[in-house]
Amino acid sequence: MQIIDTHCDALLKLQVAKRNELFRGKPVHFLDAEELDTNFLRLQQGGVKVQFFAVFVHPELPDNEKWQHCLEQVDLFYSEVLGQPLMKQIRRWEDIDTLAPGEIGAVLALEGADAFGNDLVKLRHLYRLGVLSLGLTWNFANLCADGVGEPRGGGLTLLGKQVVQLNNDHRVFTDVSHLSPAGFWDVMELADYPIASHSNARKLCDHPRNLDDRQIQAMFSRNGLIDVVFCPEFINAGSQQAEIDDLLRHIDHFCSLGGERHIGLGSDFDGIFDHVAQLEDASAYPNLIEALQKRYSEDQVERFAFRNFLAHRPGIGDASSRT
């Protein structure tokens, strides 16, 4: 079965390793590096058809270094990820439909506006480079909005609202997974294409990175996608351990709120230190599919794995299939 996974942090791992090579660190290559949960061979083995690759620039880096770090990760997306002949960049959402058997689509995403600051020329460059999903923040505050870890808890700034409008204009997802609650509600008012690329249900695991029931229902009413995340800390409160059945409880909860056609997968592979048992990397996706098939119909499992995403692609998805 095909898998569409809307979040991984392989580019950051590749960048850190590339910089460490200057100090005789071990090279890490996208093809088969053991260090990468989402290396090419593991994506193949897991049946992944489309993988999102996030560019993440840590907010605590000096401002004058952030754009360079962003470009280094984008460069590795082109040289390492797309350097594999069967990896094909998705530059337009329609490109997913043209993937040949055996090819894997690669989507460039941005996790946090810190990379471009208040410079919309840089943002437009990122659109041209192929960014198709953009989260305004990581956990901290920046010039666009407050993240879930900012005590102030503010919403979107005027700049943040402008960025959401640019996302709409470019058919780019606005990702709410790290936004403060106030920022979330601003996005609900403004975004044509909202997504929570890697979040779970706060009712089952009370963590600020998860969404409460009111937020979940708002996402569904706005035709948004919520893609479950595999981080144990966001599955079981206060725990670094989780089983696949624990993750499925979050899918059950989303379904109970009317979200059967709004659920997807956003692993956060390569961005998490602990893993769900039997879901340690992308090659283990068949274990998740098998567990889902024991609980849901084949039609439902296909929806969760890839069809819901295809139905919600910006500017393409059939609105009648989203309700």
Side-chain angles (χ1 to χ4, degrees):
M1 182 174 296
Q2 296 181 12
I3 300 292
I4 296 178
D5 182 337
T6 57
H7 193 85
C8 84
D9 284 295
L11 296 180
L12 178 60
K13 280 189 176 180
L14 287 167
Q15 184 207 11
V16 170
K18 186 72 171 177
R19 284 183 162 233
N20 285 344
E21 285 182 37
L22 296 173
F23 306 98
R24 300 186 179 180
K26 176 185 175 184
V28 172
H29 296 295
F30 175 68
L31 171 64
D32 59 359
E34 182 66 26
E35 295 86 347
L36 294 179
D37 300 338
T38 52
N39 69 39
F40 173 72
L41 295 182
R42 285 172 169 163
L43 293 177
Q44 268 192 330
Q45 292 161 8
V48 176
K49 191 63 177 175
V50 177
Q51 178 66 59
F52 281 49
F53 292 87
V55 172
F56 172 65
V57 175
H58 201 287
E60 292 186 341
L61 284 170
D63 286 345
N64 63 345
E65 295 182 16
K66 289 177 178 177
W67 182 239
Q68 176 65 27
H69 279 255
C70 173
L71 291 182
E72 287 177 14
Q73 291 183 41
V74 173
D75 184 65
L76 286 162
F77 175 79
Y78 276 89
S79 62
E80 280 286 333
V81 175
L82 299 181
Q84 294 302 314
L86 291 177
M87 296 296 302
K88 303 297 179 181
Q89 185 177 10
I90 304 302
R91 296 189 67 94
R92 300 163 59 251
W93 295 116
E94 295 88 344
D95 294 343
I96 295 175
D97 301 323
T98 65
L99 290 171
E103 291 182 340
I104 299 173
V107 176
L108 191 60
L110 182 65
E111 186 172 30
D114 305 82
F116 60 84
N118 66 346
D119 189 341
L120 296 181
V121 172
K122 291 178 179 176
L123 175 58
R124 285 190 283 271
H125 277 305
L126 291 172
Y127 290 141
R128 294 183 189 110
L129 287 166
V131 166
L132 291 178
S133 182
L134 191 157
L136 294 174
T137 70
W138 186 56
N139 293 333
F140 303 158
N142 60 30
L143 296 177
C144 284
D146 283 358
V148 295
E150 169 55 57
R152 174 179 55 188
L156 270 57
T157 63
L158 291 176
L159 175 65
K161 293 176 180 180
Q162 189 175 0
V163 171
V164 173
Q165 184 56 56
L166 286 170
N167 286 345
N168 294 342
D169 295 343
H170 287 83
R171 294 168 58 203
V172 167
F173 281 118
T174 297
D175 190 351
V176 301
S177 276
H178 284 272
L179 270 176
S180 68
F184 172 92
W185 292 111
D186 285 343
V187 168
M188 288 300 97
E189 292 183 8
L190 298 169
D192 291 341
Y193 312 113
I195 190 173
S197 68
H198 54 309
S199 291
N200 290 335
R202 191 158 188 174
K203 186 170 185 178
L204 301 184
C205 178
D206 188 10
H207 192 286
R209 274 279 286 101
N210 289 337
L211 301 175
D212 65 32
D213 284 1
R214 186 164 163 257
Q215 290 175 306
I216 292 165
Q217 290 171 323
M219 285 289 288
F220 296 162
S221 71
R222 294 283 293 132
N223 288 328
L225 282 166
I226 302 178
D227 296 344
V228 293
V229 59
F230 301 172
C231 177
E233 188 179 356
F234 306 155
I235 298 171
N236 293 327
S239 176
Q240 278 75 51
Q241 298 181 353
E243 306 289 333
I244 289 178
D245 279 349
D246 298 325
L247 178 63
L248 298 193
R249 290 189 304 114
H250 290 264
I251 293 178
D252 293 343
H253 186 69
F254 290 146
C255 286
S256 75
L257 296 175
E260 180 182 323
R261 295 177 181 238
H262 300 266
I263 300 167
L265 305 173
S267 66
D268 205 6
F269 281 141
D270 292 308
I272 53 180
F273 299 102
D274 302 298
H275 295 81
V276 175
Q278 296 188 303
L279 200 51
E280 289 83 5
D281 59 57
S283 70
Y285 259 119
N287 295 334
L288 175 60
I289 297 303
E290 181 180 357
L292 284 166
Q293 289 169 332
K294 293 176 180 177
R295 206 167 184 134
Y296 293 96
S297 71
E298 193 70 10
D299 178 71
Q300 289 171 311
V301 176
E302 287 185 359
R303 286 187 180 280
F304 304 154
F306 68 96
R307 284 173 48 204
N308 283 344
F309 179 87
L310 294 178
H312 288 78
R313 287 174 290 173
I316 295 182
D318 177 3
S320 66
S321 70
R322 302 184 197 176
T323 57

